[in-house]
Amino acid sequence: MAERVVITGMGIVCPLGNDVQTLWQAILAGKSGVAKTTVFDASTFPTTFDAEVKDYDLAEYTKNPKLHKDSNRGSAFVVGAAVQACRQAGIDVETTEPADGIDRGRLGIYLGAGEGSVDNDVFFAAIVEGWDTEKNEMDWGRWAKVAFARMDAMRELEQEPNMPAAHIAILTGARGPTRSCLTACAASTQAVGEATMMIRRGDADVMIAGGAHSMIHPLGLTGFNRLTALSTRNDSPQTASRPFTASRDGFILGEGAAVVILESLTSARKRGVEILSEVIGYGSSADAFRVTDMHEEGRGAIQAMTAALADAGISYKDVDYINTHGTSTAENDLIETKAIKAVFKEEAKSTPASSVKSMLGHLIGAAGAAELITCVLAIRDNIVPPTMNLIDPDPQLDLDYVPNEPRKMPVNVVMNESFGFGGQNNVVIIRRFS
Amino acid sequence: MSSSRVVITGFGAITPLGLTATDMWAALCAGRVGIDRISAFDPVGFDCQLAGQVPEYKIRDYVPKSHRKATKLMSRDIELAVVAAREAFVHAGLVTKGIDPENININPERTAINVGAGLISCDLVELAPAVAASITDGKFDIHKWGKEGLELVTPLWLLKYLPNMLACHVGIIHDLQGPSNTITCAEAAAHLAMAEAAQTIARGSSDVALAGGAEAKVNPIVMIRQCLLKRTTSENNDAPTSACRPFDADAKGSVFGEAAGLVILEDLDHAARRGAKVYAEVVGFGQSNNINPAYEHLEPDGKGIRIAIEKALAEARIGPEDLDLIIPHGTGIPADDRAEAGAIEAALGEAAAKIPVWPTKSMLSNTGAAAGALDVVAAVCAMNDGKIPAAKNCDRKAEACNLNIVNQPQEANIRHALCCSYSYGGQTAAVILRKTD
C-alpha cells in the first residue's frame, strides 16, 4: 500500500504578503499585489508595472544571512518561505542536532525554481565595451577584460536554477532526494506532484517542495514584452490582471517563493504534527503541439486533468473547486475553459473555477505552489477565493469564475492547474484530510 | 522502482567525439580526446581557452520538414538535444511522428520525456545590436533600451532560452504527450532526469521515456562563470589533449564542453512484447545532497555522493563487490576529485580499491547537464562490448586517491556498472546498471 501524503507546513513570500496569513487576508479582501515596477527602472518599457515582493528581510529568517548574501531574488525569497513552512511543520532549521524526529537522509527537497537575473550592470557594460558597431562583431578580448574585472564568481553561480534548493539544503541539512525542475509556468506544481510520488514510493518521509522565481529584471521583462504576453494597461495596473474577461490583455509578471511540507501520513502521525490537507492526485502531460501556442482544444491540459483524477481515484463530480491557471491572456483563459468543459462535462458550469492571479500576478515558476497554498486555505475555511477584476465577462467564457467576491461554501476537494510555455501541463488534487 | 522493471533499449549522443553514440564509443576506445582551443568565439583574455566542442552538423538534417521553421527558435542546447533524440529513437527501433509519420509504433500519450538541462545563456552577439542602440554617453541606458533597444530584440527571443524548450522541441517533433519534465540540477541533472523518467514508468504513468541531458557550455558567459569559480584549468592552454586530468596528481581544473545524451527507458514487458533489444536494466538510483556553504565545491568528505551511492546499491540489492565498473563524475578539479574518491571509498569499503574506475571527462570534457547521460551511454557500451577503455591523463594518481583507475584497456565481463554525479550547489546522484542476459 503506497504511503498517503499530507501537507504539514506552508510558507510564502509573495506580492500579497510575506506570510500565509497576510496572503489569505489580502485574497479574501480582494486586494491587488500589482503596482509600478520598482526593482529596476522600467518606465520606458511597454509594460511599466508588475507584482513585486515588498519589504522582505532575509535576516528575519536566518541566523546566518551571510550564507545567503549573494542569492538571486528567488533564492532569497525561498529561504523565508522554507523557514516558515518548516516552523509550522516542526522541522528544525540551522542546527546540526535536529530534534524533530525526521531522519535527514529521508528529508528531501523538490523545487520548481527559476534562474536568477544576470548581473545587469556588468552584463550590459561588457557588451557595450566589446561590441564593434562598425564591424558588427564582438571583440571578445575587450568584452572579457570588463567581464573578468567586474563579474563576481558567487553572483554568477547564484544565477543557476539549482541554487534555491542548495540554500534550503544548507538551512535544513536535508540529505534525501533533491531535485529542481523548470517547466516554465508549470514548474512548482510539477515539483509538488513529483515530490508526492517520491514519498508514496518510499524514497523520502518528508519533502520540502514548492517553487521560487523572479523574472523581474530587464531581460525578463524584455522577453515577455516581446512575446506580447504581458498586459500593457499602464494606466491601471491594479485592474490589469483580469482573467476570463473580454478585455484581458496579458498576464502580470510577478515574483516570489512558496513552500509546502509534504509528509507521509505515517511520519506526520508519529511526529504528532497538525495535518493541513492531503495530496491525492497528480497528472502531468505535454501538448507536443507548438512551441509558441497551446493546443487549440487543450489536449494536454485535458490529459493532465484526467490523469490527476485517475491518480486520485475520484470523479470530476467530486471536485468542489478548481484553482485555474487563469493568466489573463487571451489564449490561456479560452483554452483552459474549453479543457475544463471537456473534463467536467455537465458539471463544468457549476464547479467554481477562479484565478487568484487576478490579485497575485503570475509568479512563473513559483505560481503553482503559491496557488496551492490558497487551495489548502480554501478547504480549511470553506471559502473559495474570487477572480477579481471580472468586470466585463467574455461571452465565450461561461464558467462560474467566482467573480469579485469570495464565496463561502463547503470545499473538500480542490484541483490546482498549471500550464507552461511550450505545452507543459501539471495538475495536483488535494482533499480535506480525514 | 518497486512495481515494474525498467530497461534501456536505445541511446543517442552528440559529443565532442562525434555526432553519434557509435562515434563516441569508438573514440573513447581509441583514447581520442575531444578537447581543443575554443573556436565558437575568440577566447583571448580567458584563463581557460579550451573546450570540448561538437563537430559541425546541420540541424536541418535532423528535423522533419514540418519543424524546419522552428529551428530558428533553437538555441544550441536545444539543437543538441534534438540530434541525440533522433538517434535514440531510431536505435531503439521506435518510429515516431518525427521519424516516419506513416509507420508510427509508439503510443504518444504513454511516452514521457525527461531532460536534464542547464541555464541557457543568451547569445551575446545576437543581443549586442540592441544593446548598442541603447547607449548614452558611452554607457548602457535602460531608458533607451525600453524605448528602442527592446524593439530590436527578435519577438520570440525568450523562447530560445527557457530550459524546458529542449524537451518541448523534442516532444513536438516526435509527438510525446506523456509526462514531460526538465531537471535543472547542473551536472547531476541527467542522472536525476533518468531517475525520474524511470519512476514514471515504474508507477505506470508511461511505457517508454526519453531521458538524459543536454547542454552547450561553450558560451562566453558560461565559460567565464567557470573561470571565475576557479573550476577550469588555466595552465594547460597549450596542451589541449592532456589538459583535463581527473584524479591525476597534476590536475589543474576541468575543461567544459557541449553535448547531448539521451537514452530510451522502457518497461521491460513493453520491450519484450515488441521484441526490442535490451542493452541494460536500470536497477538502482540514489539521490542526496551535498551540504557545503562553499557552494561551488563538493563537501570535503563527499558525504552527499557517498549517501547517493549507498542508496543506489540498496535499491539495486547488491553489494559493493558486485560492481564491475565505476564511471565517476571525475572533473579534474583536484579538491572535488579528492572528495569524490573519498566518498566512493567510504561507500564501497575494501571493494573500492579493486573495482575498475574509468573517468571520461579527460576525453569528453565536462558537458554539464549532459555529462551523466554520456557516462550512462558509455557504461552501456562497455557492458555490451565487454571491455573497458583506458582512462586518459591519469598518469600518476593524486595522493590520497586509492581508486583503481584503469590505465590499460581491458576485457571485462561487466554485470553491474555504477555512474555518479554531483552539482555545484549540492545535488548528488548515482545510477546502477545491470547487464541483461
Side-chain angles (χ1 to χ4, degrees):
Chain A
M1 184 70 189
E3 278 283 359
R4 289 171 70 181
V5 180
V6 295
I7 298 174
T8 57
M10 303 192 290
I12 195 160
V13 172
C14 74
L16 287 173
N18 298 337
D19 63 85
V20 169
Q21 199 48 33
T22 307
L23 160 76
W24 191 231
Q25 290 309 322
I27 283 192
L28 296 183
K31 284 189 185 160
S32 167
V34 181
K36 195 168 172 304
T37 298
T38 66
V39 173
F40 66 97
D41 184 346
S43 58
T44 59
F45 279 62
T47 299
T48 59
F49 60 95
D50 59 23
E52 293 173 8
V53 168
K54 297 158 216 57
D55 304 322
Y56 174 69
D57 183 6
L58 184 84
E60 283 177 30
Y61 299 98
T62 170
K63 290 181 288 189
N64 306 308
K66 261 182 159 171
L67 290 181
H68 312 286
K69 71 180 167 56
D70 296 310
S71 298
N72 69 53
R73 287 176 75 81
S75 291
F77 298 152
V78 90
V79 168
V83 169
Q84 293 169 27
C86 287
R87 276 184 195 148
Q88 183 171 21
I91 298 172
D92 297 335
V93 298
E94 298 191 319
T95 170
T96 49
E97 287 166 14
D100 49 25
I102 299 168
D103 171 359
R104 268 10 190 201
R106 299 195 47 82
L107 171 64
I109 303 166
Y110 206 136
L111 290 185
E115 72 300 322
S117 168
V118 299
D119 197 350
N120 289 296
D121 286 353
V122 54
F123 178 87
F124 289 112
I127 297 175
V128 169
E129 183 62 27
W131 187 246
D132 186 326
T133 39
E134 273 163 32
K135 289 190 197 154
N136 240 11
E137 64 181 34
M138 191 72 88
D139 180 332
W140 290 109
R142 274 163 41 190
W143 180 87
K145 209 167 166 191
V146 175
F148 270 100
R150 291 180 48 196
M151 281 186 183
D152 174 81
M154 292 316 289
R155 283 204 304 271
E156 288 301 309
L157 176 66
E158 293 279 6
Q159 294 168 27
E160 299 279 345
N162 65 320
M163 290 307 294
H167 286 273
I168 298 182
I170 296 278
L171 276 174
T172 59
R175 293 283 194 177
T178 295
R179 286 180 209 156
S180 293
C181 68
L182 191 40
T183 42
C185 315
S188 54
T189 298
Q190 188 143 21
V192 168
E194 292 294 340
T196 299
M197 295 296 145
M198 285 176 166
I199 296 174
R200 268 198 204 166
R201 204 173 40 243
D203 289 350
D205 296 329
V206 180
M207 292 292 294
I208 300 166
H213 210 172
S214 176
M215 291 187 79
I216 301 180
H217 50 76
L219 288 178
L221 185 57
T222 296
F224 285 123
N225 260 154
R226 293 301 287 145
L227 286 170
T228 63
L230 297 177
S231 168
T232 52
R233 202 175 297 278
N234 293 329
D235 57 353
S236 182
Q238 302 222 328
T239 69
S241 190
R242 47 178 76 185
F244 308 111
T245 61
S247 55
R248 66 192 187 276
D249 74 331
F251 74 82
I252 283 69
L253 186 54
E255 62 175 0
V259 168
V260 294
I261 305 299
L262 300 173
E263 186 161 2
S264 73
L265 179 57
T266 309
S267 171
R269 282 204 166 127
K270 192 186 76 189
R271 299 197 308 117
V273 287
E274 189 191 352
I275 292 169
L276 308 174
S277 204
E278 179 174 3
V279 182
I280 58 169
Y282 164 56
S284 173
S285 79
D287 276 7
F289 179 60
R290 269 186 217 143
V291 176
T292 43
D293 306 287
M294 297 172 81
H295 184 269
E296 289 106 329
E297 300 304 320
R299 178 175 75 187
I302 292 167
Q303 190 181 329
M305 284 191 254
T306 308
L309 288 167
D311 183 48
I314 62 171
S315 153
Y316 60 89
K317 294 176 184 162
D318 300 320
V319 175
D320 299 311
Y321 163 53
I322 304 166
N323 189 299
T324 64
H325 190 54
T327 57
S328 185
T329 61
E331 182 184 50
N332 177 85
D333 296 356
L334 173 64
I335 292 171
E336 186 170 15
T337 296
K338 281 187 189 174
I340 290 171
K341 285 182 179 173
V343 174
F344 283 76
K345 302 186 180 78
E346 78 287 356
E347 300 279 342
K349 290 187 187 178
S350 57
T351 307
S354 71
S355 169
V356 295
K357 285 192 183 74
S358 56
M359 296 162 274
L360 193 55
H362 190 344
L363 273 49
I364 314 294
E371 290 160 21
L372 180 67
I373 287 173
T374 68
C375 297
V376 173
L377 297 167
I379 290 174
R380 184 192 71 182
D381 293 352
N382 287 308
I383 298 179
V384 169
T387 303
M388 295 306 290
N389 301 323
L390 220 167
I391 39 186
D392 59 330
D394 182 332
Q396 276 184 286
L397 308 184
D398 52 357
L399 301 181
D400 173 7
Y401 303 111
V402 197
N404 305 319
E405 288 281 341
R407 186 179 303 161
K408 197 85 186 134
M409 59 170 271
V411 184
N412 292 306
V413 177
V414 179
M415 176 183 275
N416 183 28
E417 303 184 341
S418 297
F419 309 124
F421 276 123
Q424 311 272 176
N425 313 291
N426 288 287
V427 173
V428 161
I429 300 174
I430 63 170
R431 180 164 63 196
R432 181 186 301 279
F433 177 73
S434 61
Chain B
M1 304 263 315
S2 50
S3 34
S4 72
R5 294 169 66 184
V6 178
V7 293
I8 294 176
T9 55
F11 45 84
I14 174 166
T15 73
L17 292 175
L19 302 182
T20 66
T22 315
D23 287 351
M24 176 184 93
W25 177 240
L28 287 170
C29 289
R32 211 153 65 70
V33 173
I35 292 169
D36 210 337
R37 186 179 163 85
I38 292 171
S39 62
F41 59 93
D42 179 2
V44 61
F46 280 69
D47 300 345
C48 177
Q49 306 182 349
L50 306 175
Q53 297 183 99
V54 164
E56 231 175 282
Y57 63 91
K58 285 202 183 73
I59 189 62
R60 290 171 58 88
D61 299 342
Y62 296 89
V63 296
K65 230 179 183 168
S66 59
H67 203 74
R68 292 259 163 90
K69 234 174 101 185
T71 57
K72 280 195 212 142
L73 301 179
M74 290 184 186
S75 57
R76 194 157 168 98
D77 305 61
I78 298 171
E79 289 184 0
L80 297 174
V82 165
V83 173
R86 185 177 178 89
E87 185 190 5
F89 280 119
V90 170
H91 187 227
L94 292 171
V95 183
T96 67
K97 182 177 130 191
I99 290 166
D100 179 1
E102 306 298 314
N103 293 293
I104 296 170
N105 69 0
I106 65 157
N107 178 350
E109 290 183 18
R110 301 277 307 159
T111 308
I113 179 165
N114 205 314
V115 179
L119 169 59
I120 309 177
S121 290
C122 63
D123 179 351
L124 298 179
V125 172
E126 183 191 12
L127 205 60
V131 175
S134 313
I135 297 173
T136 304
D137 299 333
K139 287 199 169 132
F140 177 71
D141 176 352
I142 189 88
H143 281 160
K144 237 171 147 176
W145 171 270
K147 272 190 293 229
E148 295 162 39
L150 179 140
E151 291 290 322
L152 299 176
V153 176
T154 177
L156 302 177
W157 176 79
L158 185 67
L159 298 182
K160 288 167 75 170
Y161 302 111
L162 300 177
N164 64 313
M165 285 297 162
L166 283 65
C168 290
H169 279 274
V170 171
I172 291 165
I173 290 170
H174 297 287
D175 194 19
L176 316 177
Q177 298 176 32
S180 165
N181 203 2
T182 295
I183 303 294
T184 43
C185 292
E187 292 162 21
H191 287 160
L192 295 173
M194 286 178 178
E196 188 167 291
Q199 287 151 1
T200 64
I201 295 172
R203 71 173 182 246
S205 299
S206 63
D207 303 321
V208 174
L210 181 73
E215 189 171 2
K217 278 191 173 294
V218 194
N219 167 301
I221 293 272
V222 181
M223 286 294 174
I224 203 169
R225 188 170 294 154
Q226 304 302 335
C227 289
L228 290 168
L229 289 164
K230 309 278 181 221
R231 297 183 81 227
T232 54
T233 169
S234 55
E235 298 177 28
N236 300 321
N237 286 327
D238 298 329
T241 56
S242 57
C244 184
R245 314 183 64 81
F247 305 104
D248 184 76
D250 292 324
K252 303 289 185 200
S254 204
V255 175
F256 293 83
E258 56 182 2
L262 289 163
V263 304
I264 303 291
L265 297 174
E266 190 165 356
D267 174 85
L268 176 63
D269 295 335
H270 190 270
R273 274 199 302 277
R274 68 181 188 92
K277 178 164 167 55
V278 172
Y279 294 95
E281 180 175 355
V282 287
V283 290
F285 286 106
Q287 307 164 65
S288 182
N289 244 320
N290 167 38
I291 295 178
N292 189 6
Y295 294 109
E296 69 275 32
H297 287 300
L298 201 52
E299 61 206 316
D301 65 357
K303 189 174 172 189
I305 271 282
R306 192 194 86 203
I307 296 171
I309 295 171
E310 289 169 350
K311 285 185 182 173
L313 286 168
E315 193 172 78
R317 295 171 195 250
I318 61 169
E321 64 286 352
D322 296 317
L323 293 171
D324 306 302
L325 169 65
I326 299 170
I327 303 187
H329 192 56
T331 57
I333 300 167
D336 291 349
D337 286 352
R338 196 158 49 235
E340 187 182 17
I344 291 171
E345 284 180 53
L348 305 183
E350 283 176 14
K354 294 182 215 128
I355 304 162
V357 174
W358 177 49
T360 61
K361 289 186 182 57
S362 47
M363 294 174 271
L364 285 166
S365 75
N366 185 345
T367 57
L374 303 187
D375 287 346
V376 166
V377 171
V380 170
C381 290
M383 227 169 223
N384 284 276
D385 267 17
K387 66 176 173 195
I388 305 172
K392 193 89 183 167
N393 297 339
C394 185
D395 305 325
R396 191 164 53 92
K397 258 194 295 186
E399 215 176 303
C401 171
N402 300 313
L403 302 178
N404 174 25
I405 313 274
V406 289
N407 276 318
Q408 293 297 324
Q410 51 186 259
E411 303 288 306
N413 179 18
I414 303 165
R415 180 141 168 84
H416 291 103
L418 165 72
C419 299
C420 36
S421 60
Y422 54 85
S423 70
Y424 40 73
Q427 303 82 31
T428 63
V431 183
I432 294 176
L433 306 166
R434 176 181 293 153
K435 191 176 176 183
T436 46
D437 309 311

